[in-house]
């Protein structure tokens, strides 16, 4: 099935009991791009990802991934995606290579050993492939986790706060991996609370606030929403943090003023 968007969401709603979390989300992601979804705790980022990955059923609206409806055709959606959660889901008893072989076998991919070796090389883990993952650093575990997600070459990858708990060096390793994936044509929807992460990785950025996407665009387009702060001799461009606070109604001009 052909589609002009890898991900299409329209009017999506979801409540937990009497508490509405998604109040009519509209979102489109072009193939082969990285979209960063920003939002405060409780904004609904993980709920949206869970719906898009068919782990949760929406109350209303529509969501399609690679042209497949998440409600009426969940099997096709699952065949098109992979999901990496906030914590690396690797088996620490197994080696890195054994983790990959296991996933490839479960997904019935031909020649699991060759697939494992190719992914170890792709993610700079060949030398560590024979070691138990309990000995891996945080960045290595996360790279292995993402490698496991790519078994079978899914065209769409959901990364739900992938650098949670990582030190700065490990975070940079993950950033490099995501950049390479996008360069190879993988569509990535990235949820994050690290605004620098969105600045570094995303082609487009969407801000989810109180259950709705309240703005979406390139970094340059979002920065244009806030008048640039100035000092006596130089002009200061607003940071993404200032843009985020301004569009959700917290800080705004006073925040920019304070940072002069």
């Amino acid at each position: 099935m052909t589609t002009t968007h890898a991900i299409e969401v329209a009017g999506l709603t979801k409540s937990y009991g009497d508490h509405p979390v998604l109040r009519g989300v509209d979102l489109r992601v072009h193939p082969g791009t990285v979209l960063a979804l920003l939002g405060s705790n409780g904004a609904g980022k993980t709920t949206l990802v869970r719906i898009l990955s068919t782990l949760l059923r929406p109350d209303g609206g529509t969501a399609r991934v690679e042209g497949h409806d998440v409600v009426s055709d969940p099997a096709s959606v699952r065949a098109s995606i992979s999901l990496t959660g906030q914590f690396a889901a690797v088996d620490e008893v197994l080696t890195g290579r054994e983790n990959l072989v296991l996933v490839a076998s479960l997904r019935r991919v031909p020649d699991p050993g060759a697939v494992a070796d190719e992914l170890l090389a792709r993610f700079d883990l060949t030398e560590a492939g024979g070691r138990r993952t309990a000995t891996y650093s945080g960045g290595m575990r996360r790279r292995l986790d993402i490698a496991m997600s790519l078994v079978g070459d899914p065209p769409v990858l959901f990364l739900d706060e992938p650098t949670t708990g990582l030190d700065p060096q490990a975070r940079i390793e993950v950033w490099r991996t995501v950049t390479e994936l996008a360069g190879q044509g993988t569509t990535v929807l990235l949820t994050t609370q690290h605004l620098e992460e969105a600045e570094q990785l995303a082609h487009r950025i969407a801000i989810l606030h109180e259950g709705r996407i309240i703005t979406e665009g390139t970094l340059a387009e979002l920065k244009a929403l806030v008048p640039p702060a100035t000092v006596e001799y130089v002009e200061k461009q607003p940071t993404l943090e200032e843009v985020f606070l301004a569009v959700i109604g917290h800080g705004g001009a006073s925040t920019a003023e304070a940072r002069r």
Side-chain angles (χ1 to χ4, degrees), residues 1 6 51-54 63-82 153-156 158:
M1 181 178 295
I51 289 173
L52 290 172
S53 55
T54 75
R64 302 174 71 84
V65 179
E66 288 290 298
H68 308 292
D69 189 275
V70 300
V71 174
S72 63
D73 194 7
S76 295
V77 173
R78 293 184 196 118
S80 302
I81 68 168
S82 195
D153 295 319
V156 177
F158 299 118

Side-chain angles (χ1 to χ4, degrees), residues 8 38 42 65 103 119 141 160 227-228 238 251-252 258:
E8 297 179 88
L38 303 183
V65 179
V103 172
L119 286 168
R141 290 189 193 192
D160 190 13

Side-chain angles (χ1 to χ4, degrees), residues 17-29:
D18 295 330
H19 177 60
V21 177
L22 302 181
R23 303 169 181 257
V25 171
D26 298 301
L27 185 66
R28 293 180 177 84
V29 183

